[in-house]
Amino acid sequence: MKQLFSILFLFMTMMCSAQITYPVTQKSTQQDDYFGTIIKDPYRWLEDDNSKETKAWVVAQNKVTDQYLVSIPFRDKVTKRLAELWDYPKYGAPFRKGEYL
């Protein structure tokens, strides 16, 4: 378990020091008036997950993320270790089927 935490710490350290260039996210001039208090919401357009703009934004963000994740040299080792840790017998809650529980 210590080794897994060491690997995750190393991953987080690499993540903080990496030079990642994210796509520019557009901002809108959306404002709401809640009982006299003006609240700016420049990213409201992202709430519509079916719009072409939001889908394009998600694709661009995923491209940056995928490029970074592929470059992690110990990614397969972490994936293998997590699969080992999560591979144990799992049981659901009891249920009634006819007269049996």
Side-chain angles (χ1 to χ4, degrees):
M1 197 64 155
K2 272 184 162 181
Q3 185 181 15
L4 179 62
F5 286 121
S6 298
I7 290 171
L8 291 175
F9 177 75
L10 181 60
F11 169 73
M12 295 304 294
T13 305
M14 284 178 54
M15 194 170 173
C16 291
S17 64
Q19 297 297 322
I20 300 174
T21 305
Y22 291 98
V24 177
T25 304
Q26 70 179 9
K27 292 184 180 182
S28 69
T29 58
Q30 175 68 40
Q31 293 184 354
D32 295 312
D33 185 345
Y34 294 107
F35 308 102
T37 302
I38 302 297
I39 305 295
K40 295 181 179 180
D41 192 1
Y43 303 108
R44 170 84 54 91
W45 64 274
L46 283 169
E47 292 179 13
D48 182 5
D49 58 342
N50 293 315
S51 75
K52 290 180 184 178
E53 294 84 7
T54 302
K55 288 179 181 180
W57 181 84
V58 169
V59 167
Q61 292 289 327
N62 284 341
K63 183 178 177 184
V64 171
T65 302
D66 291 342
Q67 287 175 351
Y68 177 76
L69 291 176
V70 167
S71 71
I72 298 172
F74 52 85
R75 183 176 181 197
D76 291 337
K77 187 174 182 180
V78 171
T79 301
K80 182 180 175 198
R81 181 63 181 138
L82 288 174
E84 289 171 3
L85 292 172
W86 293 335
D87 185 25
Y88 59 90
K90 296 162 185 75
Y91 304 96
F95 62 93
R96 184 173 301 277
K97 185 170 184 179
E99 61 184 64
Y100 299 101
L101 186 63

